[in-house]
Amino acid sequence: MVELIALIPFITGPMAFFLPRSAGRLLLILTGAVHLLLSLLLWTYRPLPMLSAYFALTDVGLLSLLVISLLFFLISFYTRDYLKKSGIHFENVFCGSMLLFLGTMTLVTLADHLMVMWIAIEATTLASAPLIYTHRTAEALEATWKYVLVCSVGIALALLGSVLITIAMDVGRVDVPVSVSALTGEAGNLDPLWLKIGFVFILVGYGTKMGLAPMHTWLPDAHSEAPSPASALLSGVLLNCAYLGIFRTHKIMTAAGLGAFSGRILMVFGLISILAAATFIVKQNEYKRLLAYSSIENMGIIAFGTGIGGLGAYGALICLIHHSLIKSALFLTSGNILLNYGSRLLKDITALVRRMPGTFLAFCGGFAGISGFPPFGLFIGKVMIIMGAFRGGHYVAVGIFMASLSVIFAGFANHTLKIFFMKSAAEPLPRETAGMLLPQYLLLLTSLILCCWMPEGLSQTIRNAASVITPGGF
Amino acid sequence: MNYIDTLLSLVLLSILFSFGSSRLPVLIRVIGFQGVVVSGLPLFIGNDHSLGGMAFSLITILIRGLVIPLCIYLIIRRVAIRREVAPIFGHHASMLAWLGLIAAAAFIGNKFTLPVATQNVLLMPTAIALVSGGLFLLMGHRNAIAMVLGYIMMENGIYLVGTTFSSRTHHIVEFGILLDVLAGVMIMAIILQNIKQTFDDVDTDLLQTLKE
C-alpha cells in the first residue's frame, strides 16, 4: 500500500495527457480523493513498505504526505473551475503534469534512501517545469528557464553532498545501506569531516529548491508566472519536499553529535532568508511576487526554528503545516484576483472588499494567518520558535528575527490594505463561484481548527519528528 | 603514472580546451569525451566486474558520451543557433582561471586521503576540477547552451566522485540518477529551442524581464 500511493499519480498522470478536457479535470479530483484516502490509511495503519531498502514511513514524511494529499485534493477542486475560466490552451499537459508532480512529491515523502530522495526531488523539478510554462509567454519561458537551471544546478550540489556522505561511510568503515534510518543508527561511526562537508553541500543544494536566500532567485519568478493552482502547489508543498531533504540530513548530523554545527548553519541561512524577504516585500509591486517572497520568509522561519532545535523545531514543524495551508489559500485567492482584474500589479487592484467580497474574505483571512495572528496556527509556531531561541540564549539572532518579521508585517499590511480598501469607482466584478472560494475557506478553516485543537496523534507525531533533530532529545 | 591517470590528465586538459574554445560544437565534443571517460572508469577502478555492472557502465557511456551531447548538438542544428560563444571574462582570464583551478584542485585533492584514490593520484583533483570547471563555464557565459554544457560538465564531475569513490549505491539507483539527468538535459533542450524561437537568440541577457 505504501508504494501504491506514489504509483497511482504516475499511472493517472500520463493518462491525463490523452484525455479530453472535462475528463482530465475529473481525473485530477478523483486521483486527489484516492490519494487523500490512502494517506489517511497510511497514517492510521503505518504498514511496512515492500521496498524497505528505499522507502520508509517516518513521522515527518507522514506529516508532509498528509499535507500534500489534503492540499492537492482541495486544489484539484479549485483547478476545475479555474481551468474553465482561464482558457488555458494545453490543458491536458497541465493536468498530466499536476498529477506527475503529485507522484514525485509523494516519492520524496516516502524516500528513505539518500539517492532515491535525490532522484525524487530532482523529478519534482522536471514534473513541475511544464506547469510554470503553461501560459507560453516570454515571461513564463524566462521563469521556467531560471527554475530548471538554478534548481538543477542546486540539486546537483545536493547529489554531490549525498555522495560525500557515502564517502563518510567508507572512511568510517560503516557498512550499512545508504538510508537515513540506517545512517542515523550508525551516525557516531561516520567520518565527521566528510559528513560536515556533505551536509553543507546538501543544505546549499536542497536549500536552493527550498527557496533559502541567497539561492532563492528562481522562486519569485516561478511562483508569479505559474497558473495559481500550480503556484499554490509549488509554494504549499514543493518547498516542504526540499525541506524534508535538509531535515533528514540534519537528523543524521544530530545523531552523529554534529547537530550544533548543522543547526548554526540552518539558523544563519534562515535569518538571511527572512532579511532578504523583508527587503523585497517592502518595495514589491506585484501581489503574486509578494506572496512568493512571503514563502521565502516562511522557509527562513522554518530553517531558523529547525536550527534551534527543541521547542524551536516543534514550532518550525507547526509553521511548516500552517504555512502550506495558509499560503496555498492565498495563492488560490490570487488566482481569483488575476482572472477578474487581469493584472498582477498591486496598483491595479482596488476596492477588493466591495468588488469581490468573497475573495476579499479569503485574502483577508490568509493575510491575518500568514502575518502570524491568532487564531491561525502560524502564531503558535512563531511564538514557540521565539521561546526556543530565548531558551537557547540566541538573543541577537532572535532580535534580528523579530525585527525582520515586524518589517515584513508592515510591508505586507501596507500593500494589502491598499488593495482591500483603496477607493475605486469601478463596478463590482462578477460573483465568484463556490468552487473558487470554498477550497480557500476550507484550508484557512483547517489552520484555524488545528490552532485551537490539535488531535493527540498529530501532536505526538510532531513531537517525535522534532525530537530527532534536537540534540539530547525533545 | 598509470593509464588511468593518463586518461584523467586528458580530462584535465579537456577542461582547458573548453575554457579556451569559442565554438559550441567543440564544447559539445569535449563534454562527450569527458562523459565517456568518467562513465568508463568504474570498469577499471571499481570492484564490480559482474555482467550487470559492465552492462550498466556501457549504458552510462552511451548516455553520457553520446545521447546527451547529441541532444544538445541537434538543438543547435535544428534552430540554427549561432555557434560562436565568448566567455564573459575573456579567453585569457579563463585560461588563468583554469591554472588556478587545477592548482586548487590538486591542493584540496591531496588534503583528503581516500583508500581508492591512493592508486590514482589524479582522481580527486580531476573530480574537483570538473565540478568547479562546470560551475565556471556556467557562470562565465551568457549563452544558454554554454550554460547547459557547464551543468553537464558539473554532473560528470559528480559522477566521477560518486562511482569511483564509493560503490555503495545499487545500479538501479544509479540508473535512476542517470535518467533524471538525461530527462533534465532534454527538458533544458526543449526550453532552449523555445528561447531561440521566442527571442531569436539564446543570450540570457534577453531573459531579464523578471528581474527585481
Side-chain angles (χ1 to χ4, degrees), chain A residues 100-150:
Chain A
L100 289 176
F101 189 31
L102 173 67
T104 53
M105 288 191 296
T106 309
L107 272 186
V108 177
T109 62
L110 300 177
D112 190 36
H113 193 286
L114 278 185
M115 300 301 173
V116 173
M117 184 168 71
W118 183 88
I119 293 170
I121 295 180
E122 171 67 0
T124 59
T125 310
L126 306 178
S128 53
L131 295 176
I132 300 169
Y133 190 46
T134 301
H135 291 309
R136 303 289 196 271
T137 58
E139 288 82 14
L141 184 60
E142 181 182 336
T144 314
W145 164 252
K146 282 185 189 167
Y147 173 61
V148 172
L149 191 76
V150 175

Side-chain angles (χ1 to χ4, degrees), chain B residues 165-188:
Chain B
F165 288 134
S166 183
S167 53
R168 292 181 178 279
T169 46
H170 301 135
H171 288 314
I172 181 83
V173 176
E174 283 185 37
F175 194 65
I177 295 172
L178 194 61
L179 277 186
D180 255 6
V181 174
L182 180 64
V185 171
M186 282 179 165
I187 287 183
M188 283 179 196

